[in-house]
Amino acid sequence: MSSMELILAQPRGFCAGVDRAIEIVERAIAQFGSPIYVRHEIVHNRYVVDDLRAKGAVFIEDLAEVPRGSTVVFSAHGVSQSVRREAEQLGLLVFDATCPLVTKVHIEVAKMRREDREIVMVGHHGHPEVEGTMGQSDLGMYLVETVEDVINLKVKDPHKLAYVTQTTLSVDDAAEVTAALRARFPDIVEPKRNDICYATQNRQDAVKFMAPQCDIVLIIGSPSSSNSNRLREVASRLNVSAYLIENADALDPAWLVGKRRVGISAGASAPEILVQQLISRLKESGIASVRKLDGVEEHVQFPLPRGLGGNEERGSSISTHDSVNSN
Ligand code: SF4
């Protein structure tokens, strides 16, 4: 095993939306004291959630669990309009950690609805981002995951349709599904810019570049993390053995037998410390060298909400997203 080489994807790990969401919870705890309630896992990573819980965050799924007058943070995945209304009715102080790139999709939905279009969402059933985005439309939306779903889709008026997508889809799968939508509904209105976010795109591109150089790819991320699962799939589709692991403890040494080049990346919600722990563990197994690949350097930052040291206004962050997605 001593001739084994470790290859690190660039970029990997935290995106700007995750950085911001974690900072919102930390600042809310510092400013208002614990407990700070957080609706749903702030980001889909066990390490992050456990760390914030230890600092005073209380994670809940239903706002009914939050005592009146408390402070609540909405997770990076976003929430439906009905959850916003419920928070208002309960008199909760809300800090919204919805990623501005998810908010951009919500704003698109509102515009499409004003044009009286029915909306198709391309996304994964049951994912909180999908629930939040679908909950932006008073009359609901159609959810499609696959080309087959598109074939079976029944709409009221094929000439009054629009679509949006989840931000963390497989770029390749989404391209197939949206091509099927355009083929079946030629008048369908597309999002102004791709809804798949810069972080998802960059991390998938980086794994596509890395995987052919590897005998095995390890992705650090939680099983509930959509973008982390997609990274594993990207490597796997290039016929490289690929595993999604929560941390170094989940590494099975048997996977490494006969492997000379081990590629590592991490989902957008996975902290770099977990990557470093995995590298240390692999070094104990006799990794000879570590090679960091070249890739996109990201300099994206999102403003914090007003009231937590930032001056974000709902509209002001949109120009930031647009320039981000045009990268
Ligand atoms: S993965 Fe993309 S959409 Fe999700 S939090 Fe990060 S930047 Fe925002």
Side-chain angles (χ1 to χ4, degrees):
M1 236 200 258
S2 58
S3 62
M4 212 186 270
E5 184 190 28
L6 205 53
I7 304 172
L8 301 181
Q10 166 65 31
R12 62 176 183 275
F14 276 9
C15 60
V18 165
D19 266 335
R20 173 177 176 272
I22 293 169
E23 195 168 350
I24 287 173
V25 178
E26 287 178 338
R27 284 190 180 220
I29 293 169
Q31 213 161 307
F32 301 96
S34 61
I36 293 294
Y37 292 86
V38 182
R39 187 185 176 278
H40 195 68
E41 294 187 340
I42 185 75
V43 299
H44 283 156
N45 186 269
R46 196 170 79 193
Y47 181 96
V48 170
V49 167
D50 287 348
D51 183 56
L52 290 175
R53 191 181 283 121
K55 289 174 179 166
V58 175
F59 291 89
I60 48 104
E61 290 300 320
D62 188 341
L63 291 185
E65 299 168 57
V66 181
R68 275 192 97 80
S70 306
T71 302
V72 69
V73 178
F74 292 152
S75 79
H77 315 95
V79 296
S80 66
Q81 291 295 338
S82 64
V83 170
R84 284 187 192 284
R85 283 194 292 272
E86 192 185 352
E88 226 174 271
Q89 280 156 12
L90 289 169
L92 304 176
L93 174 61
V94 172
F95 289 105
D96 189 359
T98 302
C99 176
L101 297 182
V102 174
T103 303
K104 168 185 153 289
V105 181
H106 291 183
I107 291 168
E108 268 169 343
V109 166
K111 181 170 171 282
M112 291 162 170
R113 286 297 304 138
R114 279 198 300 277
E115 294 167 354
D116 210 21
R117 296 181 188 280
E118 287 197 296
I119 303 170
V120 182
M121 171 138 207
V122 184
H124 296 294
H125 184 80
H127 190 278
E129 181 190 326
V130 170
E131 287 169 5
T133 299
M134 292 183 69
Q136 302 304 310
S137 165
D138 41 0
L139 294 178
M141 292 191 201
Y142 302 106
L143 176 61
V144 296
E145 285 199 66
T146 61
V147 170
E148 207 191 342
D149 291 343
V150 175
I151 293 166
N152 295 325
L153 183 63
K154 289 186 184 60
V155 300
K156 284 193 191 125
D157 181 354
H159 307 294
K160 282 295 246 183
L161 269 187
Y163 78 81
V164 293
T165 80
Q166 192 176 338
T167 56
T168 53
L169 296 179
S170 149
V171 173
D172 298 331
D173 287 351
E176 277 182 27
V177 176
T178 56
L181 278 171
R182 282 190 300 271
R184 195 163 162 224
F185 307 107
D187 291 340
I188 197 165
V189 167
E190 303 180 80
K192 210 169 88 203
R193 289 181 203 276
N194 194 349
D195 291 331
I196 294 180
C197 76
Y198 79 98
T200 298
Q201 174 86 52
N202 288 348
R203 280 152 193 68
Q204 287 180 20
D205 287 348
V207 169
K208 274 185 194 166
F209 177 60
M210 176 180 75
Q213 308 177 48
C214 305
D215 305 311
I216 176 173
V217 166
L218 303 173
I219 306 291
I220 294 274
S222 285
S224 53
S225 160
S226 171
N227 81 87
S228 304
N229 278 286
R230 304 295 84 79
L231 293 181
R232 192 205 64 75
E233 282 169 14
V234 163
S236 178
R237 284 179 187 180
L238 292 165
N239 296 319
V240 182
S241 309
Y243 300 91
L244 175 64
I245 54 173
E246 189 103 54
N247 52 38
D249 290 341
L251 177 71
D252 182 345
W255 297 339
L256 301 176
V257 174
K259 304 288 195 287
R260 297 175 65 95
R261 291 163 308 170
V262 182
I264 294 185
S265 186
S269 45
E272 179 64 15
I273 187 173
L274 298 179
V275 173
Q276 294 306 322
Q277 286 170 357
L278 178 62
I279 293 171
S280 303
R281 185 70 58 89
L282 287 164
K283 280 183 174 165
E284 286 164 19
S285 320
I287 291 287
S289 64
V290 178
R291 179 157 58 97
K292 187 180 158 196
L293 293 177
D294 286 336
V296 176
E297 298 283 343
E298 295 173 341
H299 302 286
V300 179
Q301 270 191 328
F302 295 130
L304 290 165
R306 274 186 297 182
L308 285 181
N311 59 357
E312 180 193 59
E313 289 176 40
R314 212 171 151 78
S316 71
S317 51
I318 301 312
S319 59
T320 317
H321 320 156
D322 284 357
S323 64
V324 165
N325 262 1
S326 63
N327 277 349

